[in-house]
Every structure is written in structure tokens, then in C-alpha cells.
Amino acid sequence: ASSDPLAEAAAAYANEVADLLYAQLVEVVRARAPELEPVLSGEVEICGPDLEGPGLQVLGIWLQLLSIAEQNAAMRRRRQIEAERGYDALKGTFVQVIKEAAGSGVTAGDMKGLLENLRTRPVLTAHPTEAKRVTVLEKHRRIYRLLVDLESPRWTPRERTSLIRAVRNEIELLLLTGELRLEKPTVEQEVYWALHFFNETLFEAVPALHEKLERALSDQYPGETFEVPTVFQFGCWVGGDRDGNPFVTNEVTRRSLGEYRLAALKRYRQRLGELIKLLSVSERSAAVPSDFLERLEPMLAASGDGPGIASRNPGEVFRQYLSCVLRRLDLTLSTAAQYDLDVPEGAYATADELSADVRALERALAQAAPLLAPSLVRPVRREIEIFRFSTVRLDIRENTTRLHQALGGFWRLRAGPDAGEPPAPESEEWGRWIQAELARPRHEEIRLDSLDSEASETLGMFRLVGELREKLDREAFGTFILSMTHSVSDVLGAYLMAKEGGLFPDTLGVERCTLPIVPLFETIDDLRRAPTIMRDLLAVPLVRRSVREQGGVQEVMIGYSDSNKDGGFFAANWELYKAQVKLTRLGRDLGVPIAFFHGRGGSVSRGGAPTGRAIAAQPAGSINGRLRITEQGEVVSFKYANRGTAAYQIELLASAVMEHSLKSEREQALVPVGEFDEAMEAIAGASMAAYRRFIEHPNLLEYLQVASPLEEISKLNLGSRPARRFGARTIGDLRAIPWVFAWTQNRHFIPGWFGVGSGLATFMEIRAARGEALLRRMFRDSRLFRLIVDEVEKTLALVDLDIAREFAGLHPDGGVRDAIFPQVVEEFHRTVEAVLRVSEGSRVAARFPRFLRKLGRRMPTINQAGRFQIRLLRRYRMSTSEEERTGALQALLLSINCAAAGFGATG
């Protein structure tokens, strides 16, 4: 256990809160379903068929309540550290990073230079990994807020009892709320889910983050003036991610951006409405600048009610000014509510216009009341500059298969009806055709009705980008991301689509593209090819001109999920690292900096890891102030559902990007890169070989389908997107999310560790004592290697071979079972032994006491849900009547939800 008294106090408090929530849940269960109390307490591990569904729902609610208690305790611990040791004692804050930088000689000029390039963009995705409905998330939020209220010592016993009763009521409402989605959510519902987090926490937290940065800079560099730009914004894929999702159409994208616009405008209406109530400053009490009064005069005249506004607020010029602003904003809002993009006269056409008006108010108030402007007006102005008229920067994503199909429509149109089929996408002829089309002046617009439906929809998508940028917001869209990029021609094909979509601003359409095109490299082979592809791509003059037009930085997206599924955990992490090193070096050589967009998921095997450590482990120079990273499903609710947690998480991410940019180059010189790299290469090779032997077993897919709820997961209705690309039935075409989700549910956790033991053991066998000593040195000095070993060790603690064996027993063919499950057992023991030798640990995860405490509280319930699930899978699959099958399925899906809540991750 930790000797830190604050850590011990936090653990004790977490237990205290968990006990309180458990007591309220027991009270609800006794009142509503007393027969379920033995299930909740664990006295009865498995109950009769009639009680399975309700029993699993109760167990799932308990695991959700545990998570709320742990978040509350973690937030309380951070507040206590700040109160007792100071804000700069908190890890992951701007104050800590900037104080250390200033102390190590980083000048104010250096810091100003970094601020110019600092861009951190988490991106919310619609990946179907959130098992909780928004209705449930809202109840969780209320419980969390009640727990925060209960921390206060000011309550009388009567008031405290009333708060606890309110907690009990929310728990009862959870029990009475349907936890399962009865139908797959629509994309519109996914947009609503994403906006939930902005309305609850992010509209407030992101501007506050900029204020923290500004304050930290002022404190550490006294006398210096810093103009903090917008360094942190949210991107989004919800409503723009077409990759494998046929429900994201152009009309859906248009409607989604309409919703994002409406949310931002409503927020500004609320904030400016609050401000007008506060700013009752009389011009008789404070000196109002003359230029502000001159600005107000035409605004009153244009309002249509200048005399009325002045008479309602005599002498209160700031209120008069805000009344004019609100009239224009209300006009803008009324058209937005009708999803009308044509801005009427007098409304705000752009976010820049509204921002300019609020900035003028801020300047005037700064002269009249210098202490009020920074705290009252500046946060509102920052909100407008950050969220603009679109809340998020929406990325468009499509895969190469669909893009090639659409380009084939172009080819047929150009070649004529008798030309036959277009060349193969990987052929030289195809590449030459694309380059020729890009060089050809664009004289006339292609009519959509002259193309097949595939090409028409894709071309219409690019035209939509141009239209909505002009009418809705110039930053409404972020980038176009091309999934499964395999070649230069793939990327140039996207440029050709953008050209025909009107996104080349020059008259002839040959000079440059205004929409950033971002290749996504996902498989091991594509990661290895990425440096060559990018070198050839950046040699194309059109691409170089376009990158220069877009800010001078080329973004590259790298995928953690498919690379892991392709090569296993260790090899994927090493290949991702090597690709970044080579691409960073390439960018320097070519004079075109390359920024990385990390496609991470929630689970360890899909790139999930502690934020600060994951960023610190990136290659030196690979961040350089810029980072984008996906936030998916349950990770979004974990990080952003509550205000304190959201504020902490975004500062942790932004400060880690700043710290890496300040320190990585200097630290890299201290690490013996060559020796470590050679070892990583050898371990990755042996690890990948063991992993590939396992997943290439001819019966593996059949085993996974039977010995896990792989097929049944698709019935959970987690997201609008199908579970497979193009309806294929092979492991190769199975999406990474259900792949990881299924191995999690059956307690094998294959993607998070399999092959690592073979890699480490082989290295130590060949290199003997010197090899083991080298790995221990790497464990101490290499952030990447340490992160891999730590996350593997924590994953091993989640594996339960007894329950995994019961899942394996679902397969009726003993030959298949005996061919696969013993491999899992053997590699598991090999990995445990190798990891403990390297880390010099006594037992798995003993180095992570907080992790083990958290696991210890929830594992009995997770195991109980797992055994329920095994029995339910048998019954569901053997059911002969539709009624019996439906009942078993509902309970089965609850068991999946329950385990997902316990582990805090689905896929």
C-alpha cells in the first residue's frame, strides 16, 4: 500500500462513498425486489431464469455506482493535494509544466514561439463502444453532483439525510430505466450524445483551460505579456464518419452540422443573457471610452428599437450594447433553429462578427472596470472563438474502397460508355490517370445526375464541405481522412474528388486544395510503407502548395486498433513508434513538419493508456506542439461527464503536449537509442510471430464465435455502424472493436498481451543474463518499453483462466478447444513469468496498488456476470421458441453491459 497519507485518505474515502452507494442500492432492492438482494451480495452467484435479467441489471448498476464513487474520490484527492501542497503539486497541470520549464531555462520568447504552434485537438468519434444511454449518463451525473454536495461539512443531519435520500431516488430511477437500447441508435441520436458533453461540461471547461494557461504563464514569467491563442479545440466524427457506415449521408452530415451550430448559438445566447444581467455599470460611475460610445450609436440605430433600449437601460451603456448584440444573435438563432443557412439581414453571418462585438465590449469594460472584464467578458469571448458557429470541427472520413468506386464513376464519364472497366487502383495506369486529371483545367462542373449513385454521393459530400464552410462557419470542417491508405494514388484520388467538389479556389482548379487530406495508416504493412508513401506524396507540387496554403503542416493519422489486431500488442506499439520516428525525420528533411493524429480506443489493446504517460512515450520531436487524438465511446463519458473530471482531463492532455514539446528532444539525447531499438526490434519480431501463429489457426474465428458473445454483441445496438465492413465473415474484415470486445467478455483479453511473453522470453533465452539486464535497464529508462510492460501487466491481472476455460467449454468440439485454449494458457503463464522477470515484481500488478484496490472492489461482481453470461449463451443458442430466445437475449445483453461497466471499456 502507498505510504502517501493523501493517497490512503483517498482510498478510505472511496470505500466510504462506495459503502454509502451500496447501502442505498440495497435499500432500493429490498423495497422493489427483495429476492435480488442475495444476488447483489454475492450469496447466490447464479439465480433462476426469471431473475437473471433483473439480477444482472442490479449488478450492472452496482458497477456503475462504483465507477462514480471512484471518480468522485479521485477528484476529491486532487482538490486535497491542491489545498495542502499547492496547485503546482498536481501532476498534469500547466502550472507544473511551465514552472519546471522556466526553472530549466526556457525563456519567455521560447514559450511564445511554442504557443504559436500549440494545437491540441481531442476528437469525439461515433465508434460504437458506449454501452450507456444518455438518459443513464444524466442520472450518473446527478448522483455525482450529490456526492460532491455530501462532501461539505456544513449540512445539518436533516439536510444530509435529505441529500442521501436524493441519491437513493436516483438509484431507484436507474433501476426503473430501461438500460438496453431497443433499437440501434440513429446518427442523429449519436449527435445528441456528443452534444450532451458540451452542454454539461465542455462549453465551460475549454475556455477555463485557456485562462489557466494564461495565468500560469503570467505567474512564471512576471512582467511578460502573453497573447494566448486558441490552443485547444474539439474535433468530431459524429455525423461525418462514413467509413463502413451507410447511414451517414450528405443530408445527415448537413443536419448534424445544423445541430452543432444550434447548440453553440444557444450557448452564446445563454451566456450573453447572463452577462446583460450582471453589467449594470452606469456611465456616471465609470469612464466609458469614447470609441465604444461611437460604436454603440449605429448599433442602436440598426436595432430597430434604439430609443426603447436606451430608455429601458438609461446610462447603462454596456447593457444597451448587449441588447443590440442579443437582438442580432436572436435573429441568427431563429434561422438556425429552422436549419436555414441563408443568413437574414441584421443577423450574424459569422462567428468572427460576434467575436468582434464581444471583444469590443471586453476592451471597453477593461478601461471602465479593469477587474471585471477578464472574469466576466473574456470567458464568453473565448467560448465564441473556440466553438465558433459549429461547436466542433467535423472531420469527414471515408475508406479507399468507397473512394475508388466513386472515382470509377468519374473515369467512366471521361472515357465514355464503351471504355469498359477502369484500371485497377493499384496499377500504374490508374495513378497516371489521376495525375492527369489533377493537372487538367476544370472548365465545367460535373452534374451529379450524370454519375452513378456512389460517385454522386461522394462528390456531393465534397461540395457540401465548400457550401457549409461558406454559409455556416469557415472552421465547420476539420479534415478529410482516408481510411486504409495504401498508396500515393489513394491520397491523390481524394485530392481529385476535392477538386471536382469545388475545393480548389483557383479559377482553373489546378493550384491547391483548401481541405486538408489526411492519410490513415492502420495495418502493420501500411505503417511500414507510410514514410515512402509520404515522401512521394510530398514530392507532388500540388500537395506541397496545398499544405503550405493550409498552414504548412501535413497531418498523418496512425491507427492503433487495426495494427494491434494485425500484429499483436508489442509489435503494433513498436511499429507505430518507428513510423512516427521516420515520418518526423522525413518532415524535417523536406521542410514540411508532419503532425500526428492518433487513432486510439478505450481499451489498452486499442491504444488506451494513461494520458500523460502515453504522450510522454511518443518519439522525440513527433509532437512539436501539435496533437490530435480520438476519444471514443465509454472514454468520452469517463473523461467528460463531470465538470471537475473534464477540467482535469483536458488540462492533463494539453499540458502533456506542451511538456513533450519542451522536453523530448533534450531527454532523447540521454537514452542509448541504438541498443534499445535493436532489442525492441527483436522482441517485436518474436512477439508478432507468436501472435500471428495463434490468430492464423484455421479454427480461431469459429472458436471466438462460439466461445465468446462475438455474434451477440452486434445486438447490443451500441452504435449506428455495422460490425463488419462490406458484410465479410473473416477475421481480416471483422472490425477491431467487436474483436477486442469479444476477447474482453470471455476473459481471454488476447489483444492486450498475447505474444508479448514469447517475445520477451525468446530475447532472454538468446541473450541470457546480458539480455535480461538490458531489458531491466530499458524498463527503467525507456518510456515506451516501460509503458508497454506496465499495460501488459495490468491486462494480465484482468485475465481469468478459470472463467476463460468455462467460455471455451461453450464450444462443443473438443478438438477445436484443445487446439486453441491450451495455447492461451501456455502463453499466459509465459507472459506472466517474463513480465515479472523484467519488472522484478513479486506478483502480477503488485506495483499498482490503486489499480488492484479498484479491481478488488469490482472483480467479484464482474466474475458473477461472466458466469451468468456463459449460462445465458448456452440457453440463448439452444432456444427453440422465439419467446424463450428473446428472454434469454435480453438477459444476455445485460450481462455484456454489466461486464463492460465493470472493466470500464467495451472495445
Side-chain angles (χ1 to χ4, degrees):
S2 172
S3 58
D4 181 351
L6 283 182
E8 292 174 359
Y13 179 75
N15 287 332
E16 179 185 329
V17 174
D19 289 345
L20 182 148
L21 293 175
Y22 183 79
Q24 300 314 302
L25 178 58
V26 168
E27 188 176 322
V28 169
V29 169
R30 281 178 185 162
R32 300 205 63 86
E35 64 277 13
L36 295 178
E37 189 176 348
V39 179
L40 177 61
S41 66
E43 294 172 32
V44 175
E45 191 165 69
I46 294 179
C47 52
D50 292 344
L51 297 179
E52 282 170 339
L56 282 160
Q57 187 184 9
V58 167
L59 293 179
I61 288 172
W62 168 231
L63 290 169
Q64 292 166 18
L65 294 175
L66 261 181
S67 180
I68 295 169
E70 287 158 357
Q71 284 193 49
N72 174 245
M75 192 64 228
R76 188 172 187 264
R77 182 186 179 214
R78 289 192 287 270
R79 286 198 297 267
Q80 286 180 324
I81 291 172
E82 181 180 350
E84 296 186 20
R85 301 174 188 173
Y87 191 50
D88 57 352
L90 273 177
K91 291 182 180 178
T93 59
F94 280 132
V95 170
Q96 186 186 59
V97 171
I98 294 170
K99 182 179 181 180
E100 186 178 338
S104 65
V106 176
T107 67
D110 295 335
M111 196 62 76
K112 288 175 182 177
L114 174 60
L115 284 178
E116 290 177 7
N117 295 317
L118 198 60
R119 299 288 183 275
T120 305
R121 304 248 193 288
V123 178
L124 307 186
T125 79
H127 285 27
T129 61
E130 174 57 84
K132 295 185 287 295
R133 298 168 56 204
V134 169
T135 299
V136 172
L137 290 172
E138 289 170 342
K139 290 174 172 51
H140 288 181
R141 170 101 175 104
R142 288 195 290 272
I143 293 170
Y144 180 91
R145 289 167 67 178
L146 287 165
L147 292 178
V148 172
D149 286 344
L150 282 166
E151 291 178 39
S152 173
R154 72 180 184 271
W155 306 116
T156 66
R158 175 188 57 79
E159 289 170 325
R160 183 174 175 79
T161 299
S162 179
L163 285 171
I164 292 173
R165 190 180 303 117
V167 171
R168 191 205 72 87
N169 290 344
E170 291 295 342
I171 292 172
E172 183 166 6
L173 286 168
L174 270 178
L175 188 63
L176 295 172
T177 298
E179 187 176 339
L180 296 173
R181 294 187 175 101
L182 300 180
E183 297 177 351
K184 285 183 79 66
T186 62
V187 180
E188 288 83 354
Q189 288 168 327
E190 290 174 335
V191 169
Y192 174 67
W193 167 84
L195 283 172
H196 166 79
F197 299 101
F198 287 92
N199 291 322
E200 287 293 331
T201 64
L202 296 176
F203 276 135
E204 180 180 307
V206 181
L209 174 79
H210 288 75
E211 184 184 344
K212 289 176 188 174
L213 175 56
E214 191 172 69
R215 195 182 313 126
L217 289 165
S218 298
D219 289 347
Q220 298 307 317
Y221 294 96
E224 293 285 345
T225 302
F226 291 89
E227 182 66 34
V228 174
T230 298
V231 301
F232 195 102
Q233 284 178 302
F234 273 88
C236 192
W237 284 5
V238 187
D241 183 5
R242 293 153 182 273
D243 182 13
N245 193 340
F247 305 110
V248 180
T249 63
N250 292 336
E251 188 51 43
V252 164
T253 298
R254 180 190 295 274
R255 184 82 177 184
S256 299
L257 273 168
E259 292 290 349
Y260 293 133
R261 176 196 191 200
L262 190 58
L265 291 171
K266 284 181 177 178
R267 171 69 181 184
Y268 306 150
R269 180 63 180 83
Q270 174 197 333
R271 296 286 278 130
L272 291 168
E274 293 165 354
L275 202 54
I276 199 171
K277 294 176 184 176
L278 292 172
L279 288 183
S280 56
V281 179
S282 169
E283 59 183 331
R284 293 186 295 274
S285 304
V288 180
S290 58
D291 62 335
F292 181 75
L293 295 174
E294 290 169 6
R295 186 184 182 96
L296 173 60
E297 190 175 334
M299 290 177 70
L300 285 169
S303 72
D305 186 27
I309 291 172
S311 65
R312 282 193 297 275
N313 304 283
E316 296 175 349
V317 291
F318 295 120
R319 276 185 165 169
Q320 293 175 25
Y321 183 88
L322 280 170
S323 293
C324 297
V325 170
L326 283 170
R327 280 177 176 253
R328 288 191 69 186
L329 186 58
D330 284 340
L331 191 55
T332 313
L333 194 51
S334 66
T335 58
Q338 302 301 316
Y339 301 99
D340 186 354
L341 295 178
D342 294 322
V343 179
E345 186 178 350
Y348 284 109
T350 68
D352 299 307
E353 291 179 5
L354 177 59
S355 173
D357 278 352
V358 177
R359 191 178 278 272
L361 172 65
E362 183 184 354
R363 281 198 304 268
L365 189 62
Q367 293 182 51
L371 298 179
L372 293 178
S375 57
L376 295 183
V377 182
R378 189 177 301 165
V380 181
R381 188 255 300 167
R382 277 211 174 109
E383 279 192 35
I384 297 164
E385 291 175 353
I386 291 164
F387 299 106
R388 302 187 57 79
F389 280 5
S390 57
T391 299
V392 295
R393 297 175 60 142
L394 186 70
D395 287 330
I396 301 295
R397 186 170 78 131
E398 187 54 281
N399 60 64
T400 52
T401 301
R402 298 290 186 192
L403 185 70
H404 289 148
Q405 289 171 352
L407 287 168
F410 278 10
W411 187 90
R412 293 183 190 93
L413 189 67
R414 297 275 192 246
D418 301 324
E421 287 302 304
E426 63 275 9
S427 68
E428 290 184 8
E429 184 186 353
W430 179 254
R432 285 194 298 270
W433 176 76
I434 287 177
Q435 296 238 29
E437 287 295 312
L438 283 169
R440 192 172 70 87
R442 181 171 177 264
H443 294 298
E444 58 184 35
E445 187 173 277
I446 295 175
R447 292 194 353 260
L448 294 182
D449 61 8
S450 68
L451 299 168
D452 59 49
S453 59
E454 190 73 48
S456 174
E457 178 71 14
T458 304
L459 178 58
M461 173 186 72
F462 282 93
R463 288 184 180 168
L464 184 68
V465 171
E467 178 194 353
L468 295 187
R469 272 175 159 184
E470 181 181 345
K471 291 186 174 181
L472 192 147
D473 192 274
R474 60 182 167 83
E475 294 187 26
F477 290 94
T479 63
F480 174 80
I481 296 162
L482 184 60
S483 294
M484 289 296 174
T485 298
H486 304 303
S487 69
V488 173
S489 294
D490 291 344
V491 186
L492 292 179
Y495 272 93
L496 179 54
M497 271 290 179
K499 171 182 176 171
E500 296 299 341
L503 298 176
F504 282 36
D506 57 296
T507 305
L508 297 179
V510 294
E511 284 294 318
R512 66 193 186 280
C513 178
T514 59
L515 178 68
I517 308 294
V518 177
L520 167 51
F521 300 107
E522 300 176 78
T523 66
I524 298 289
D525 285 344
D526 287 338
L527 286 168
R528 289 172 177 171
R529 282 196 295 263
T532 301
I533 292 172
M534 293 310 299
R535 180 179 292 279
D536 293 345
L537 183 67
L538 291 171
V540 178
L542 164 66
V543 175
R544 291 290 287 259
R545 290 193 298 268
S546 298
V547 171
R548 190 162 54 245
E549 168 82 8
Q550 296 156 9
V553 177
Q554 171 67 52
E555 186 172 272
V556 169
M557 186 171 183
I558 51 176
Y560 286 69
S561 305
D562 284 287
S563 56
N564 180 292
K565 181 165 165 277
D566 198 20
F569 187 66
F570 197 104
N573 276 276
W574 179 234
E575 294 294 340
L576 287 158
Y577 187 91
K578 285 195 300 180
Q580 289 178 79
V581 169
K582 292 174 182 176
L583 287 166
T584 300
R585 191 179 301 133
L586 174 67
R588 284 180 181 162
D589 292 345
L590 298 179
V592 181
I594 290 179
F596 294 98
F597 183 2
H598 296 259
R600 292 177 178 268
S603 60
V604 168
S605 50
R606 297 187 59 240
T611 300
R613 292 190 60 207
I615 292 173
Q618 301 308 309
S622 65
I623 290 181
N624 198 26
R626 293 176 179 269
L627 180 82
R628 287 218 293 160
I629 185 169
T630 52
E631 304 278 37
Q632 302 180 12
E634 73 284 342
V635 173
V636 178
S637 56
F638 172 79
K639 288 184 175 181
Y640 305 128
N642 300 305
R643 287 180 188 173
T645 306
Y648 170 72
Q649 290 291 344
I650 64 174
E651 187 172 8
L652 180 64
L653 175 59
S655 67
V657 170
M658 174 181 271
E659 183 174 33
H660 189 282
S661 304
L662 290 166
K663 293 168 66 173
S664 69
E665 297 280 6
R666 188 170 67 250
E667 288 184 345
Q668 187 71 9
L670 305 175
V671 179
V673 177
E675 189 179 20
F676 284 10
D677 285 0
E678 183 189 353
M680 292 291 290
E681 189 73 25
I683 297 164
S687 171
M688 183 170 171
Y691 174 81
R692 294 298 308 179
R693 279 195 302 272
F694 178 72
I695 69 163
E696 287 171 0
H697 190 285
N699 297 119
L700 185 70
L701 179 58
E702 177 198 339
Y703 174 85
L704 183 61
Q705 287 171 324
V706 179
S708 83
L710 176 67
E711 300 301 317
E712 290 78 10
I713 283 169
S714 63
K715 296 177 172 61
L716 257 180
N717 294 325
L718 293 184
S720 64
R721 192 174 72 169
R724 289 185 175 84
R725 285 186 174 97
F726 316 120
R729 303 288 296 183
T730 67
I731 283 179
D733 286 324
L734 183 66
R735 286 191 176 275
I737 290 170
W739 167 259
V740 173
F741 201 167
W743 288 120
T744 299
Q745 290 284 319
N746 72 5
R747 303 299 292 279
H748 290 51
F749 283 92
I750 296 297
W753 62 271
F754 198 97
V756 177
S758 288
L760 295 173
T762 301
F763 187 84
M764 288 187 281
E765 285 166 15
I766 294 172
R767 305 285 183 98
R770 288 181 60 191
E772 187 168 339
L774 174 59
L775 294 187
R776 288 179 178 173
R777 204 160 76 248
M778 289 169 63
F779 181 73
R780 186 182 67 243
D781 296 335
S782 167
R783 283 182 173 157
L784 175 64
F785 184 72
R786 176 65 174 262
L787 182 67
I788 291 171
V789 172
D790 285 355
E791 295 308 310
V792 166
E793 188 169 345
K794 285 190 279 189
T795 303
L796 292 171
L798 303 176
V799 176
D800 189 305
L801 290 179
D802 290 335
I803 294 178
R805 185 174 286 105
E806 290 184 48
F807 271 99
L810 290 169
H811 202 297
D813 188 334
V816 173
R817 286 198 312 270
D818 294 343
I820 292 174
F821 188 68
Q823 291 186 58
V824 176
V825 175
E826 182 183 355
E827 182 66 14
F828 175 80
H829 290 305
R830 183 183 294 118
T831 307
V832 168
E833 181 187 354
V835 165
L836 292 180
R837 278 176 70 186
V838 170
S839 69
E840 300 181 84
S842 56
R843 63 188 178 92
V844 171
R847 297 181 294 113
F848 308 103
R850 286 171 62 191
F851 172 79
L852 284 183
R853 279 197 299 269
K854 177 179 173 180
L855 214 56
R857 280 195 292 263
R858 56 189 60 214
M859 200 52 84
T861 307
I862 295 172
N863 291 346
Q864 199 174 348
R867 292 196 169 94
F868 264 112
Q869 188 178 123
I870 292 162
R871 192 171 75 163
L872 286 162
L873 280 167
R874 275 204 180 92
R875 197 161 79 245
Y876 172 69
R877 292 167 180 174
M878 293 172 64
S879 298
T880 53
S881 73
E882 190 60 33
E883 182 181 356
E884 186 183 359
R885 190 174 172 82
T886 300
L889 178 62
Q890 291 297 304
L892 174 59
L893 298 181
L894 283 169
S895 76
I896 296 171
N897 261 13
C898 189
F903 289 122
T906 50

